[in-house]
Amino acid sequence: MKLATYKDGSRDGQLVVVSRDLSTAHYANGIATRLQQVLDDWNFLSPQLEDLYTTLNHGKARHAFAFEPRQCMAPLPRAYQWADGSAYLNHVELVRKARGADMPESYFGDPLMYQGGSDDFLGPCDDAVFPNLDWGVDFEAEVAVITGDVPMGTSPSEALDGVRLMLLANDWSLRHLIPAELAKGFGFFQSKPATAFSPVAVTPDELGDAWQGGRMHLTLQSTWNGRKVGQCEAGPEMTFHFGQLIAHIAKTRNVRAGSIVGSGTVSNKDWTKGFSCIAEKRAIEMIEHGEAKTAFMQYGDTIRIEVKGPDGQSLFGAIDQTVCEPDSH
């Protein structure tokens, strides 16, 4: 099934069920008003939502209305946890190679992960407001999952059973703030502003055969200022699958329902596939030409992130944002 959260003036919005083709929607308030409620009581509430989803897809839902992505908040507007991995090691290798750094062996056996802010997410079509372009504004196109409860010590294969929903993420980065933060030895903080998520979160069965071994075997498209810059394959080169990422978190703690786990920037060794963040494009330029030529984002720039299924239809809806200065709001 496909779920979204509509803006209603509150912090957590209103849960809606969305049709498979993303054309219509129906409020779920007869079942649950918020997505977190469903995640907390998944076994009882999700079958009821599935029934509504089936009715909606058959065109028989009495109070259906046209689905409008611009009315959406993030599917889970605030979460108990947002943990983002760096599961595509090609991305890490490129960025490190550009600055002359080797890849430590530990990177290949243990996922890199940071804990981001989860109290405030951006909706898929919300403007991305940044006070200072000198901070180096960059998009990051990613895949993410929302979990149910996963107990401490769970194995990677068992952790996959904890995946409830899948969605897309734009994990905004402020590249020029990162070096000084990492130099302190304590990780990202100010360099990672609010993340945006796709309009719709979907159950893994909606992916069909494209959901294999904890990986989404589909193409992630990134379109910057109307130009398609990334056609990256999300499946084959994901070094650590989502079960491994979730198990990494669960090594020393319980993972609770409503945790969002990100893949990190989707990246391919074949540079003709393009890029899912500007930092990677700049790294390639450094390697090839000795200097980075592509500038980071400017006010008025747009970024669109989307995945289409084998039938050509948008699977999650599109993240479609504009970079703005504070005075414009």
Side-chain angles (χ1 to χ4, degrees):
M1 63 180 164
K2 299 191 176 187
L3 303 173
T5 295
Y6 256 37
K7 297 176 180 178
D8 68 350
S10 73
R11 291 183 188 271
D12 298 304
Q14 283 284 319
L15 180 66
V16 299
V17 176
V18 184
S19 63
R20 180 168 284 116
D21 64 2
L22 306 184
S23 65
T24 58
H26 195 289
Y27 283 108
N29 50 9
I31 302 165
T33 57
R34 300 185 310 280
L35 181 53
Q36 185 61 48
Q37 287 176 268
V38 181
L39 295 163
D40 286 338
D41 199 4
W42 183 262
N43 291 338
F44 180 66
L45 294 176
S46 66
Q48 299 176 57
L49 292 173
E50 287 276 9
D51 289 343
L52 177 54
Y53 181 63
T54 300
T55 304
L56 185 62
N57 285 326
H58 288 159
K60 296 181 179 179
R62 290 180 58 194
H63 302 292
F65 52 88
F67 178 60
E68 176 49 66
R70 292 197 168 273
Q71 291 300 315
C72 289
M73 306 172 78
L76 195 58
R78 51 181 176 165
Y80 286 113
Q81 179 167 225
W82 160 231
D84 196 22
S86 193
Y88 297 86
L89 286 190
N90 181 65
H91 169 73
V92 184
E93 285 185 90
L94 271 178
V95 173
R96 291 181 69 88
K97 185 176 179 181
R99 64 172 191 260
D102 294 327
M103 281 281 284
E105 278 301 314
S106 62
Y107 282 31
F108 296 94
D110 202 31
L112 287 167
M113 188 165 280
Y114 83 94
Q115 196 152 26
S118 60
D119 56 329
D120 181 35
F121 294 136
L122 297 177
C125 302
D126 290 350
D127 288 341
V129 178
F130 301 107
N132 193 335
L133 290 180
D134 291 340
W135 293 343
V137 177
D138 195 0
F139 66 91
E140 283 192 42
E142 305 187 5
V143 185
V145 299
I146 304 176
T147 77
D149 286 327
V150 178
M152 181 168 60
T154 297
S155 70
S157 59
E158 292 171 333
L160 278 179
D161 294 334
V163 173
R164 297 286 178 257
L165 296 161
M166 300 192 66
L167 63 171
L168 305 180
N170 182 8
D171 181 39
W172 288 101
S173 287
L174 301 174
R175 298 294 182 186
H176 294 155
L177 298 185
I178 289 176
E181 287 203 311
L182 294 186
K184 295 177 180 179
F186 220 48
F188 302 118
F189 201 85
Q190 290 178 334
S191 52
K192 286 293 188 178
T195 302
F197 292 95
S198 53
V200 172
V202 313
T203 48
D205 62 292
E206 291 290 332
L207 275 65
D209 293 340
W211 176 244
Q212 293 179 25
R215 298 173 175 88
M216 182 188 77
H217 291 265
L218 292 169
T219 304
L220 184 66
Q221 303 177 3
S222 300
T223 305
W224 179 15
N225 291 335
R227 186 171 70 91
K228 199 169 285 183
V229 295
Q231 286 277 86
C232 297
E233 301 301 327
E237 295 179 55
M238 188 180 187
T239 310
F240 301 102
H241 63 67
F242 277 109
Q244 291 170 296
L245 295 178
I246 297 167
H248 180 79
I249 307 171
K251 180 176 180 177
T252 60
R253 66 183 85 173
N254 295 316
V255 179
R256 291 307 187 195
S259 294
I260 308 178
V261 182
S263 68
T265 305
V266 176
S267 179
N268 296 152
K269 290 186 181 296
D270 180 358
W271 293 352
T272 65
K273 300 283 188 184
F275 54 92
S276 299
C277 70
I278 301 168
E280 190 163 302
K281 172 65 171 173
R282 287 168 59 89
I284 292 169
E285 291 169 346
M286 285 286 292
I287 294 165
E288 289 189 324
H289 309 294
E291 62 176 335
K293 298 178 180 179
T294 302
F296 290 115
M297 299 182 82
Q298 305 297 308
Y299 292 133
D301 278 11
T302 60
I303 179 64
R304 183 182 178 92
I305 299 167
E306 191 171 21
V307 165
K308 294 183 178 179
D311 58 1
Q313 288 192 331
S314 185
L315 193 58
F316 305 91
I319 297 173
D320 197 350
Q321 296 185 275
T322 303
V323 174
C324 295
E325 54 188 321
D327 292 343
S328 63
H329 286 68

